[in-house]
Amino acid sequence: YSWSPERYVITGGDEPEVLVGSAVSSNLFQTLGVDPVVGRGLLADDEDPTSGNPIVLGYGLWQRRFGGDPDIVYEVVGVMPAGFAFPSFAELWRPMRMNEGMAQGRGNNNFLVLGRLESGISIEQAESELLSIATGIAEEFPDSKQDWSVSLVPLRDVFVGNVRGVLWILLGAVALVLLVACANVAAVLLARATAREGEVAVRLAMGASRGRVARLLLTESVVTALLGGALGLAVAYGAIEGLPRVGGESLALLDGVDLDGTALAFTLVVSLATGLLFGLAPAIRAPQLQLVEALKEGHRGMRGTGGLRLQSGLVVGQVALSLVLLVSSGLLIRSYLRIQQEELGFQPHGVLTARLRLPQAVYGEERHPNLFHEAALQRVRALPGVQEVGATTRLPVIGGFGPWNFVHAEGRPAATPAERRGATRRVVTPGYFEAMGIPLIRGRTFRPSDAADAPTVAVISRRLAEEFFPGEDPIGRSIVLPWNPPLYLEVVGVVSDVRLGQIEFDTRATMYWPLAQHGRLSTYLVVRTAGDPSAMVPSLRAAIREVDPNVPVSSLRPMSAVVSSSLAQNRFRTLLLGAFAGVAMLLAALGLYGVLAQLVGRRTHELGVRIALGADRANILGWVLRYGLRLTVIGVVFGLGGAAATTQVVRGVLFGIEPLDPVTFAATTIVLMLVALAAALLPAWRATRVDPVESLRSE
């Protein structure tokens, strides 16, 4: 099976609409194992150009445009089930038909191929066989296939590969937060068990078995964990709706995620395991009480330090895990800030963008698309508040680098196919560079005189000039595309490098072609305005409608919003990991507070005696703070070691920051120490406020 993504314009309703479609081989649906809900799929005979023009509709398009009418005809042969939109969110499919040029030409590499492996055949085996085939093709057709090979990628990786790393990082962060929370719960349960030692001693003295007491405490722990799991499910239900909006298009696949049986079972298992694991310590410790000693102590509880030592150890672990998360989130925050500071090569503020798609039935045969673009640019330029207007086939920072071609400087072809170099291609109109705020370095930009009957010209980026014309003035020289026949483009200008793909990617050699010489049906309009770009939306729609009401206008957004959208995945993982780190740090602070509060509570009598004998309250304050600081420092030492090892995991998503960045490590350590100090202040202050009379009287 293979496919080729396409876009279509459908008219006849209230507004023209752009549809994403695909020309596919007839066995697409069989390969994917999906059958139409109405009619039939495509047949092998449909690939014959003489068999008419059958199409298969997507379920959403069928409902939206045809009201779900099962008797629709006009060469619609089938309707796919709801939710099926493969590939690239397609809504209709037509048979792929090979014309003579496509069938005989060896330079067409624009098809994507998908296949279903037979049972028992691994990807490695299939890839090995395809590599052998590709090698034979390259040897037979060295001119067009010398540098082409093949690799197999699981279809699941195609859909989730770009977010898999992010999700694994977030899963690790969730696991660390869960450990911190569990340690906190365990510390609370230990403290509660200590406070209830008198109660447990009475139960044992009245004949309760030690096993029954242990089961009682363990049951309380499990019930608490199950209630926490239920609360977590409620939060998750709301998060499922909110996370795709926070993550933008990078997490669009989460739209189909729901709290199914697997998620509920996983939550139940984790909750039970958490309750059992972290309820064991108090459940085991309680039956081991020395009954006589516990009854002697009465309501004051035991003065032993075993439980406090275990709680202190849990606090050390919480601090260490929190620091690991803090360092990781700190690295992502600094990386995100570095990306935002990168030079884009254009000025996005004050620019409105809109996508236009011309109907091929009209502009592909009856009229040239340049006629529409010239009229549209002229009409939009006349709108109040418009400073500059232009059009391009692709906007910067989104949609990848786009079309790419082998090129060379005139008279300097590559000696071998392996030495060939290329450049990214953009097709733009006069006014585009001015509207986008792309600086002109040398020469000129495009003019209306660069028409279809004029000499072919190009504006190139600084990087292309440096790579192909090192130390030379490229103005007046030509770049050559080794087509048949070769295409010569005279360089008339050099502009600044622009971030075409994701902002964190490096710039690429880029050549700009005039739209008048290379007509296109699909373009983006860019309008620089004197005020708020969003305020221009209604007037821009009206202007395009006046030129041609059958041309759909979509994706109207300020360019600043486009840039922000390109950072959605970075922003998502940074915010989410930062939130996890904040929660972990808060839990660690609460754990430290609990230990110090219990320490003060256990030694209330001792503190009362010391104060009665004239002890300085400042010394008592320092004693509590030093205890808390000691636990924090031990946790920080372990946490720094853990962070040094685990931050290597996020290396692949960092930009301009090393995993062992000393500034990040120092800053997060200081923040954690300050939070720990704040958590220790209240118990320490309470220790200084102990009333010696009340303390001695309570004894």
Side-chain angles (χ1 to χ4, degrees), residues 205-544:
M206 295 182 66
S209 66
R210 295 179 182 267
R212 184 172 182 179
V213 171
R215 289 195 298 273
L216 171 65
L217 297 177
L218 202 58
T219 300
E220 292 177 354
S221 171
V222 171
V223 170
T224 302
L226 289 175
L227 290 175
L231 180 60
L233 285 175
V235 175
Y237 183 81
I240 287 175
E241 297 295 326
L243 284 182
R245 288 192 288 271
V246 175
E249 297 177 357
S250 61
L251 290 180
L253 291 174
L254 289 183
D255 290 342
V257 175
D258 201 358
L259 290 178
D260 56 8
T262 302
L264 295 176
F266 176 80
T267 304
L268 177 63
V269 170
V270 170
S271 299
L272 286 174
T274 300
L276 291 172
L277 180 62
F278 291 92
L280 281 177
I284 293 175
R285 177 177 170 78
Q288 294 177 346
L289 289 176
Q290 298 299 321
L291 186 58
V292 177
E293 294 297 326
L295 290 173
K296 285 181 180 179
E297 294 295 337
H299 70 277
R300 289 174 293 148
M302 292 186 66
R303 299 185 186 273
T305 60
L308 188 61
R309 283 198 299 269
L310 181 54
Q311 288 176 260
S312 299
L314 291 173
V315 169
V316 169
Q318 291 178 67
V319 171
L321 294 175
S322 299
L323 186 58
V324 171
L325 281 174
L326 279 174
V327 171
S328 299
S329 64
L331 289 172
L332 288 182
I333 290 172
R334 294 201 66 203
S335 175
Y336 180 69
L337 294 176
R338 286 285 182 90
I339 293 174
Q340 287 188 310
Q341 295 169 359
E342 278 297 297
E343 180 62 42
L344 299 175
F346 62 94
Q347 300 296 326
H349 299 290
V351 176
L352 178 65
T353 68
R355 185 161 194 173
L356 308 177
R357 178 73 189 188
L358 309 188
Q360 185 174 5
V362 177
Y363 291 93
E365 299 177 1
E366 298 180 9
R367 297 162 58 190
H368 196 281
N370 291 344
L371 298 176
F372 168 83
H373 286 108
E374 290 174 2
L377 294 178
Q378 183 177 0
R379 181 67 186 87
V380 173
R381 191 176 290 111
L383 294 175
V386 172
Q387 296 177 332
E388 297 286 351
V389 61
T392 178
T393 48
R394 282 176 181 257
L395 293 175
V397 306
I398 62 171
F401 291 101
W404 183 91
N405 296 101
F406 285 119
V407 298
H408 63 81
E410 185 178 6
R412 300 175 186 173
T416 65
E419 295 176 352
R420 291 181 297 180
R421 291 181 295 176
T424 297
R425 182 179 76 244
R426 291 287 192 272
V427 181
V428 304
T429 66
Y432 168 75
F433 299 106
E434 292 77 9
M436 288 296 293
I438 300 175
L440 176 65
I441 299 174
R442 188 180 299 123
R444 66 172 178 86
T445 57
F446 295 131
R447 301 169 179 168
S449 58
D450 297 316
D453 56 353
T456 53
V457 295
V459 172
I460 63 176
S461 67
R462 183 204 303 267
R463 181 161 180 172
L464 192 151
E466 292 174 349
E467 289 184 5
F468 290 86
F469 303 96
E472 304 174 15
D473 184 359
I475 304 301
R477 306 286 297 276
S478 293
I479 56 176
V480 184
L481 280 75
W483 294 350
N484 187 18
L487 176 62
Y488 289 80
L489 303 170
E490 179 187 350
V491 177
V492 297
V494 179
V495 296
S496 173
D497 291 321
V498 174
R499 300 272 172 175
L500 299 179
Q502 295 180 9
I503 296 177
E504 59 266 40
F505 290 170
D506 196 6
T507 58
R508 286 191 178 184
T510 309
M511 53 184 174
Y512 298 91
W513 298 357
L515 185 66
Q517 297 180 351
H518 309 274
R520 293 292 188 273
L521 295 176
S522 179
T523 58
Y524 286 91
L525 204 63
V526 291
V527 184
R528 180 164 294 278
T529 65
D532 180 12
S534 300
M536 291 290 300
V537 170
S539 56
L540 179 61
R541 283 188 180 275
I544 299 301

Side-chain angles (χ1 to χ4, degrees), residues 10-130:
I10 183 171
T11 59
D14 295 334
E15 290 285 343
E17 183 180 358
V18 177
L19 301 178
V20 178
S22 187
V24 303
S25 55
S26 58
N27 58 344
L28 163 66
F29 307 126
Q30 295 92 322
T31 302
L32 294 174
V34 182
D35 296 322
V37 294
V38 173
R40 64 171 177 85
L42 298 175
L43 306 176
D45 292 343
D46 294 330
E47 297 180 5
D48 186 342
T50 64
S51 64
N53 293 297
I55 60 171
V56 176
L57 298 180
Y59 190 88
L61 175 61
W62 178 48
Q63 294 287 331
R64 187 172 68 249
R65 282 283 181 170
F66 301 99
D69 182 3
D71 297 323
I72 56 173
V73 285
Y74 188 63
E75 299 188 279
V76 174
V77 298
V79 178
M80 297 306 293
F84 182 84
F86 181 88
S88 304
F89 305 102
E91 290 192 280
L92 63 86
W93 299 264
R94 69 173 181 85
M96 180 181 293
R97 290 167 175 174
M98 293 288 192
N99 58 37
E100 186 176 352
M102 295 169 62
Q104 296 180 358
R106 290 286 175 177
N108 193 331
N109 302 298
N110 297 323
F111 295 97
L112 304 174
V113 179
L114 177 146
R116 183 177 294 276
L117 296 178
E118 292 185 0
S119 177
I121 302 298
S122 67
I123 289 182
E124 291 75 16
Q125 290 173 310
E127 185 174 62
S128 176
E129 183 174 349
L130 286 175

